[in-house]
Amino acid sequence: MSATVLTASALLLDMDGTLVNSDAVVERCWSRWALEHGLDPEAALKVVHGRQGYATMAVLLPDRPVEENYADNRVLLAEETADVDGVVPVGGAPAFMAAIAGLPHALVTSADSALATARMTAAALPMPAVRVTAEQVGASKPDPEGFLKGAAELGFGPAECIVFEDSEAGIAAGRAAGMRVVGVGPRAAALSPDAHVEDLTQIRVETAEDGTIRLHVSAA
């Protein structure tokens, strides 16, 4: 088994699909929404991951007024926040979060604050002190705004940060921010991240004397 070593000053972490497996909830809520709007649920689920809900709706219903997307998104967020059945940590996430607890890191998620809190709590994962949620950005991933805000709040430049992401939109956002990306899980495998892992059990974290974070990424 070979390993890749990546070094960084700070880590920027997506939530859904990266730290938390919420696919069951996402599939339930979005399949229901798609059917209500005469759409194919499978097609909807291909674009939902990584984006804020209103942005997904804009892709699926391009001719619909944006105000309707925002209104629908508020309803959907409330449904997803109330439904944590089947929400579990991604493999290795508890140990990974424990390993980086004292290191510069931030959560950068397309979820709003209430949904992020509900899912991190359901998965029994610690909520990072620094977090960028939907309320704090003007543009959804694949726009890099969230990652750039997270890096700035931590006090580091883009080149000093590594992003952990699972989705096409999220990986594109990390790249657009000028950051290296570790892809997590099956969705990320075909998207050519700088390194890819099936889950976080393949990551070992070390800290150098100067505070540099060393990520040992084991090959699958």
Side-chain angles (χ1 to χ4, degrees), residues 25-111:
V25 180
V26 172
E27 288 173 13
R28 278 196 297 274
C29 292
W30 278 94
S31 293
R32 186 166 60 241
W33 180 89
L35 290 169
E36 288 171 357
H37 291 82
L39 299 171
D40 174 14
E42 282 192 28
L45 291 169
K46 286 179 182 175
V47 298
V48 68
H49 296 289
R51 292 180 173 86
Q52 291 188 41
Y54 75 85
T56 294
M57 293 170 189
V59 172
L60 295 170
L61 297 172
D63 298 324
R64 196 166 78 144
V66 67
E67 293 79 12
E68 291 184 35
N69 293 338
Y70 280 117
D72 260 16
N73 188 43
R74 285 192 291 271
V75 174
L76 203 58
L77 277 172
E79 290 178 3
E80 290 189 87
T81 302
D83 184 355
V84 292
D85 186 26
V87 173
V88 295
V90 165
F96 175 75
M97 293 301 286
I100 67 170
L103 304 174
H105 67 284
L107 189 74
V108 181
T109 176
S110 293

Side-chain angles (χ1 to χ4, degrees), residues 10 14 73 75 81 105 118 126 153 178 180 184 186 208 214:
D14 174 53
N73 188 43
V75 174
T81 302
H105 67 284
E153 193 163 339
R180 290 159 293 156
V184 180
R214 292 171 58 86

Side-chain angles (χ1 to χ4, degrees), residues 1 16 20 22 32 44 54 59 75 79-80 89 109 116 120 136 155-156 159 165 179 184 187 190 197 202 214:
M1 180 180 290
D16 292 302
V20 173
S22 55
R32 186 166 60 241
Y54 75 85
V59 172
V75 174
E79 290 178 3
E80 290 189 87
T109 176
M120 292 292 280
Q136 295 164 268
F156 296 100
E165 264 287 0
M179 300 172 185
V184 180
R187 281 188 288 271
V197 294
Q202 291 173 243
R214 292 171 58 86

Side-chain angles (χ1 to χ4, degrees), residues 163-174:
V163 165
F164 281 72
E165 264 287 0
D166 73 301
S167 69
E168 183 175 8
I171 290 173

Side-chain angles (χ1 to χ4, degrees), residues 10-14 18 104-108 146-151 154 161-165 179:
L11 307 178
L12 301 175
L13 315 172
D14 174 53
T18 301
H105 67 284
L107 189 74
V108 181
F147 286 125
L148 292 171
K149 280 196 167 182
L154 290 170
C161 299
I162 290 178
V163 165
F164 281 72
E165 264 287 0
M179 300 172 185

